[in-house]
Amino acid sequence: MSEPHVAAVGTSPFGHTDLTGRDLFGAAVVEAFEGLPDPADVVEAVYVGNQSESYERQIMYGTLLAEWAGLRHVPAERVEGCAAAGAMALRHAVEDVRSGRRDAVLACGVEKMTAGGTAGATTALSAAFDRALEGRSGVTAPSQYALLAKRYLHDTEATERDLARIAVKNHANAVANPRAQFRREVDVETVLDSAYVAPPLKLFDCAPITDGAAAVLVTSEDVAATLPGDAVRVAGVGAGTNNIAVAERNLAVVEGAREVTTRAYEAAGVSPADVDVAEVHDAFTVSEALLAEAAGLAPRGRGYESALPPDERAEGWTATRLSTSGGLKARGHPIGATGLAQAVEVYEQLTGTATPDRQVDGATTGLLINEGGVADAVTVAHVLIHD
Amino acid sequence: MTDDTSPPTAPRTAADVTADSPFTLPGFFAALADGDLLAAVCRDCGAHLIPPRPACYACGGRTLRAESQPLTGDVITYTEVRTPPPALEARAPYTVAIVELDSGARLTGRLTVPHADAAIGMRVRLTTRPPDDDELAMALDNERDWPIHEFDPIAADD
C-alpha cells in the first residue's frame, strides 16, 4: 500500500479551437511534464477519460495518447462514464498506486466537442440517457436537468434568480483563472434574460460546449519526492452509480452523489467542515445547488444559496469555497476532461499555485465531485489533502 | 403476454431471456403496443420498475413479476424541449414530463399539451401510437416497431 499523490498537472486551453483531441492532449502533457523526466521514464500506465467517439469518430484513445506521450508498450485504455470519465481515469490511476501495483500512472481526459456542432453535441450527450423511455421521448441534456430544476424550485424556496446568481458567481471566479473558457463577468439580468433552453433553465444556466484536455500524474509518495514541484495526497475516493433514468430517482436529493461523497470523506477521515475548496459538477446551475447539499456543504434545500455571501446564507453552510475555477459553467466542460480539470484546480489551490486573484489562503483540503449521465447517474468523488 | 394467474417472472436462466419476455425491451414494447404497460414488481420490497428488469435496484432482489400498470398518474415535474435532437427539429418545442402512475411507478415521456398548460400535479393518462416519420428517423432498426408513449391530460370531468 502506497499513498497516492498528484505530482504534476496540466491542461490545454479550454474553448473552441482548431486543435484535435490528440493535439489538446499534447498541450496538457507538455504542461504537466514541464521540468520533469520524459513520460517514458516515469509513466507505467495510462487511463483516458473520453465521452464519445461520435465527436471525432475516433476510439482507441488509450493507444493513441500513449503513443503521443512517447509511451511504448504500456497498458493504456479509455474509460467511459460520460462526464465522469475524467474522474474515473483519475480513480483508476489512484487505485493502481494505492495498491502498490504501479508507482506512476498518467490520468488524462480529452474531448473535442465542437467537431460536430451543437447538433453533434446534443446527439452525443443524449446517448447517456436510458434510451428506451428517455432518449426515444426526445429529451436532451438541458431538458433532463430542467426536470430536476423544476422540481427543485417547486420543493424549495429557490427562484430562477437564485440559480442565475450561481452562474454569475462562477463567471466571476473564471475571470481570475487563465485556463477558463469564459474569462468575463455576467450579471444576473444577463442570465435571466438569456433564452430558455428548457424551462426553468436558460442558456446561461448551462455549461458550454468545450474542446479541451487535462492530464494528471499520480505517483507513489516516494516517486513524488524525486520529482520537482509540490505534491498533494489523494486521501479518499468514492465512486458509485444511481438509476440511469431520472424518473426513478429521488428528485429532491442526489442520493448517489451523497453516498459517494460520504465514502470519500470517510476514507480521508474528514468531514464537510474540513473542506476548504470544492469543485462540484455544475453542468447546470441547479447541479451546484444539489451537490452542495449532497456533499454536506449546505443544509438540505439551501444549496441554491451557493452564490450568496456567507453571512446571508442559512445556518449550516460550511465555509467551503465552491467552483473557484469558474466551474463547468465558465472554466468550460470538455466532457471527458472535466473531472481532471477539477483536479488541476484543486491541486493548484492546495499547493498555493493558483493565480493570486483566485487563491484561497491556507487551503489544505479539497473536494472533487464529478458526475456522469444526468446528474448522479454515476458519481466519482476525491478528497485531496496538502499536508 | 400477461396471464392473471401466473404473471411472467424475471429470468433465472439464460433460456428465459427471450424477445417474448416482458423483462426484455422487445417484449416490454410489444405489450405496450397493445396498450399493456408492464412494470417489474419486486416481491421483496414492492418497488415498481418500468421497464421491467431482472433485478430490483431498490433492494437487490431478483424475485420480480411483470404486472400491468394503471395508465393514469400525476405529473411530478416537466419542462419544454426547445433545442431538440436533430431528428425532432420540426416537432420542437414540445413538453416532456416525469409522471408517477397511480401504482407508484414512474417514467418519463412527452406530454401532449403546450408547456404553458402543464403543471405539477396535473392528472394524465398514458397513450401509445406508432412512431411518426421523424421518430422513425432517429430509431434503430430494431426499434422501428416500438410504440411512442405520450401522456394526455385528463379533463377534470373524465
Side-chain angles (χ1 to χ4, degrees), chain A residues 269-281:
Chain A
V270 302
S271 66
D274 298 318
V275 177
D276 300 303
V277 289
E279 288 291 305
V280 299
H281 197 90

Side-chain angles (χ1 to χ4, degrees), chain A residues 119-120 122-123 126 130-140 142-144 146-151 154 195-201 241-243 245-251, chain B residues 25 28-29 32 48-51 53 57 75-86 88 94 96-98 106-110 115 120 131 138-140 143 146-149:
Chain A
T122 299
T123 301
S126 294
D130 177 42
R131 183 173 174 85
L133 296 176
E134 292 182 328
R136 292 176 64 256
S137 293
V139 296
T140 56
S143 60
Q144 289 273 54
L147 292 170
L148 290 171
K150 179 77 179 178
R151 190 74 207 187
H154 178 268
Y196 279 111
V197 177
L201 298 178
T241 57
N242 201 349
N243 303 78
V246 178
E248 296 195 336
R249 299 189 210 149
N250 179 337
L251 299 181
Chain B
L25 289 182
F28 167 75
F29 281 114
L32 188 60
H48 289 55
L49 308 161
I50 299 175
R53 65 212 67 172
Y57 189 75
V75 170
I76 57 173
T77 185
Y78 66 97
T79 186
E80 180 175 61
V81 176
R82 298 191 178 189
T83 54
L88 303 185
Y94 49 86
V96 295
I98 295 175
R106 289 181 181 177
L107 70 164
T108 295
R110 260 177 259 157
H115 179 257
I120 290 176
M138 65 185 273
L140 302 172
E143 297 171 339
W146 295 0
I148 297 294
H149 70 284

Side-chain angles (χ1 to χ4, degrees), chain A residues 54-67:
Chain A
S54 72
Y55 298 114
E56 292 188 278
R57 313 288 160 83
Q58 176 74 63
I59 60 171
M60 296 296 290
Y61 251 124
T63 295
L64 175 59
L65 299 191
E67 184 175 346

Side-chain angles (χ1 to χ4, degrees), chain A residues 130-180:
Chain A
D130 177 42
R131 183 173 174 85
L133 296 176
E134 292 182 328
R136 292 176 64 256
S137 293
V139 296
T140 56
S143 60
Q144 289 273 54
Y145 281 87
L147 292 170
L148 290 171
K150 179 77 179 178
R151 190 74 207 187
Y152 187 78
L153 298 185
H154 178 268
D155 289 349
T156 69
E157 300 293 307
T159 64
E160 292 185 35
R161 181 172 290 270
D162 291 313
L163 297 183
R165 285 195 184 101
I166 295 174
V168 170
K169 169 184 72 77
N170 289 346
H171 271 266
N173 287 351
V175 171
N177 182 3
R179 302 180 192 277

